[in-house]
Amino acid sequence: MRKQILVLPGDGIGPEVTKEALKVLKKVAKIFGHKFSFKYGLIGACAIEKEGIPFPSRTKRLCLLSDAVLLGAVGDPRYDNPKLKVRPEQGLLELRKTLGVFANLRPVFTFPSLFHISPLKEEILKEVDLIFVRELTGGIYFGEPRGRTEKGEKAFDTCIYSKEEILRVAKIAFDLAKKRKKKVTLVDKANVLATSRLWREVVMEYSKAYPEIKLECLYVDNMAMQLIKNPSQFDVVLTENMFGDILTDEASVISGSIGILPSASLGSRVFLYEPIHGSFPQAKGKNIANPIGAILSVALLFEFSFNLKKEAEVIKRAVRETLEQGFGTFDIVKENPLSTSELGEKIIKKIEEICEKKTFLRN
Ligand code: IPM
Ligand code: MN
């Protein structure tokens, strides 16, 4: 297979973890005989520094010419000042909008070898295997009007959704549930918000096309509680943009470290892959950040953009077995933690080992 991938390392620990993810991508491509070419672009704070804007036109052009986009992280505390007009995060939002990636998939899973680092009890962690489908290009993140009144003493944002925006992301959630445990949980605030009532109406109607799927609806405040009390009750969780943003950070606590969780953002053609951890500026340049979220994002890239399931499986298995051997970065291992690049190397060695046994090579 021949494909072009756009790599956007971004800010903070983005470049470090992306480097390891790329090594894994190249290794797996070589073993399985795929030819990938790579282009690199700027986004976020590094783009503001070099080009004055967080999503330069070159990056925009390149992402539309590529077959998939691999992103590290976006954000820098130097831009945290609320008075600033140009911020790194705007680049990420523009990227999502440009690619039209309306469905953000964020799987939440546990590794038994990491049960001890989660703040939750072991019996709660067993059998957790859920996936968030977060709407990513609508809602309050993008709604107009937004801004300040003339004198600046009031500010406003608009949460707006169309039936069409809800339907297309619902389809992704129900299709995923079909291949999984056949349950969709819609999270909303339908007791208060008009947009949530539209979500409920549209999704309940749409669910009739999937008689084998059980649909349940939960208010977001209850969900925040259920997610910690009994996360194994969930399979596919469908929700709007901002609820999804908040709940997926919460859900990352279940797995023990936000550093291990990947994401895939799906839309019409070019999909986007990024770890969910963000730029983690305190660790920038120290070679200590966990590369697993980025590496597992590569597994999702193989699976969702190129339908290469064996390649994805090899990466996931290599990560699991490396963790089972007790290797990890500082966020998951207290004694003798490995550096970002050392953990990357261990995972690559494991991939070689698995593939040498030939059980995963092409038939
Ligand atoms: C995320 C991030 C972004 C979001 C920020 C950086 C704009 O928190 O991907 O979850 O809010 O979507
Ligand atoms: Mn977030």
Side-chain angles (χ1 to χ4, degrees):
M1 187 177 275
R2 274 174 195 277
K3 296 285 179 192
Q4 180 168 301
I5 295 168
L6 175 65
V7 184
L8 303 174
D11 306 320
I13 57 167
E16 299 157 59
V17 296
T18 305
K19 195 169 160 200
E20 300 313 309
L22 266 180
K23 283 192 210 157
V24 166
L25 203 165
K26 287 178 183 167
K27 171 60 76 182
V28 173
K30 187 157 181 237
I31 294 175
F32 285 83
H34 304 302
K35 292 255 176 306
F36 294 131
S37 58
F38 300 91
K39 292 263 192 275
Y40 296 81
L42 294 171
I43 191 167
C46 62
I48 298 177
E49 266 139 52
K50 296 215 174 82
E51 313 253 334
I53 45 171
F55 190 57
S57 56
R58 179 179 172 272
T59 306
K60 184 171 182 172
R61 213 169 40 246
L62 284 176
C63 68
L64 293 170
L65 289 173
S66 304
D67 297 298
V69 179
L70 183 65
L71 174 78
V74 165
D76 189 310
R78 281 177 298 167
Y79 296 88
D80 277 348
N81 178 351
K83 292 231 161 78
L84 288 180
K85 288 244 153 49
V86 180
R87 280 171 292 105
E89 291 77 9
Q90 290 161 345
L92 183 55
L93 299 185
E94 276 186 65
L95 170 67
R96 290 171 178 171
K97 210 53 173 180
T98 300
L99 294 177
V101 284
F102 57 82
N104 180 218
L105 275 42
R106 295 188 168 183
V108 178
F109 41 78
T110 56
F111 292 104
S113 58
L114 296 185
F115 277 177
H116 64 283
I117 63 164
S118 172
L120 302 185
K121 292 194 190 100
E122 200 171 313
E123 64 257 32
I124 293 176
L125 298 172
K126 275 186 200 140
E127 296 177 27
V128 172
D129 178 19
L130 61 99
I131 182 162
F132 274 88
V133 178
R134 166 190 175 194
E135 200 291 325
L136 200 63
T137 52
I140 201 162
Y141 272 58
F142 294 93
E144 298 284 349
R146 55 172 58 224
R148 292 267 184 122
T149 51
E150 235 167 70
K151 289 196 190 125
E153 79 287 25
K154 283 185 187 166
F156 47 94
D157 296 284
T158 302
C159 183
I160 181 162
Y161 271 110
S162 68
K163 281 189 177 174
E164 202 189 331
E165 285 174 302
I166 298 168
L167 271 176
R168 64 185 184 180
V169 71
K171 178 173 191 323
I172 297 215
F174 280 85
D175 286 344
L176 266 177
K178 247 174 146 174
K179 293 187 237 143
R180 297 174 45 103
K181 293 179 275 175
K182 305 198 168 36
K183 182 176 171 189
V184 172
T185 303
L186 172 67
V187 176
D188 63 29
K189 188 71 185 169
N191 51 348
V192 176
L193 302 177
T195 42
S196 285
R197 286 193 285 275
L198 182 67
W199 269 82
R200 227 176 239 220
E201 195 185 299
V202 170
V203 173
M204 282 170 83
E205 181 60 33
Y206 184 67
S207 72
K208 291 182 187 156
Y210 295 80
E212 73 277 34
I213 309 278
K214 182 180 183 303
L215 170 68
E216 98 187 334
C217 301
L218 279 190
Y219 295 141
V220 62
D221 46 355
N222 186 13
M223 180 63 179
M225 180 172 70
Q226 296 297 332
L227 203 48
I228 294 300
K229 255 178 101 173
N230 180 14
S232 61
Q233 66 182 295
F234 300 112
D235 179 19
V236 176
V237 180
L238 170 63
T239 191
E240 61 102 75
N241 203 343
M242 191 158 77
F243 295 159
D245 177 46
I246 298 168
L247 291 173
T248 51
D249 262 37
E250 184 192 353
S252 75
V253 172
I254 299 168
S255 67
S257 169
I258 196 168
I260 64 173
L261 296 179
S263 84
S265 300
L266 314 184
S268 55
R269 194 185 74 82
V270 186
F271 301 165
L272 168 67
Y273 301 87
E274 55 179 310
I276 80 160
H277 52 58
S279 61
F280 191 14
Q282 303 83 343
K284 177 182 174 173
K286 293 190 180 157
N287 195 22
I288 58 169
N290 196 331
I292 290 180
I295 289 171
L296 290 176
S297 296
V298 167
L300 294 180
L301 185 153
F302 276 114
E303 187 177 339
F304 286 97
S305 278
F306 305 146
N307 199 24
L308 296 173
K309 300 220 168 66
K310 275 189 186 169
E311 288 79 343
E313 201 44 52
V314 168
I315 298 174
K316 288 190 219 166
R317 188 171 143 189
V319 166
R320 192 181 63 238
E321 291 183 8
T322 305
L323 290 173
E324 275 164 9
Q325 282 183 292
F327 295 118
T329 37
F330 81 100
D331 53 319
I332 50 182
V333 167
K334 291 292 155 267
E335 265 169 52
N336 304 320
L338 298 182
S339 68
T340 310
S341 46
E342 283 167 343
L343 184 54
E345 270 319 306
K346 289 275 182 221
I347 293 168
I348 286 174
K349 283 266 142 47
K350 195 48 95 183
I351 290 172
E352 285 171 342
E353 213 179 289
I354 292 169
C355 292
E356 262 162 30
K357 290 184 200 145
K358 294 208 174 18
T359 42
F360 271 94
L361 288 180
R362 270 183 304 175
N363 304 319

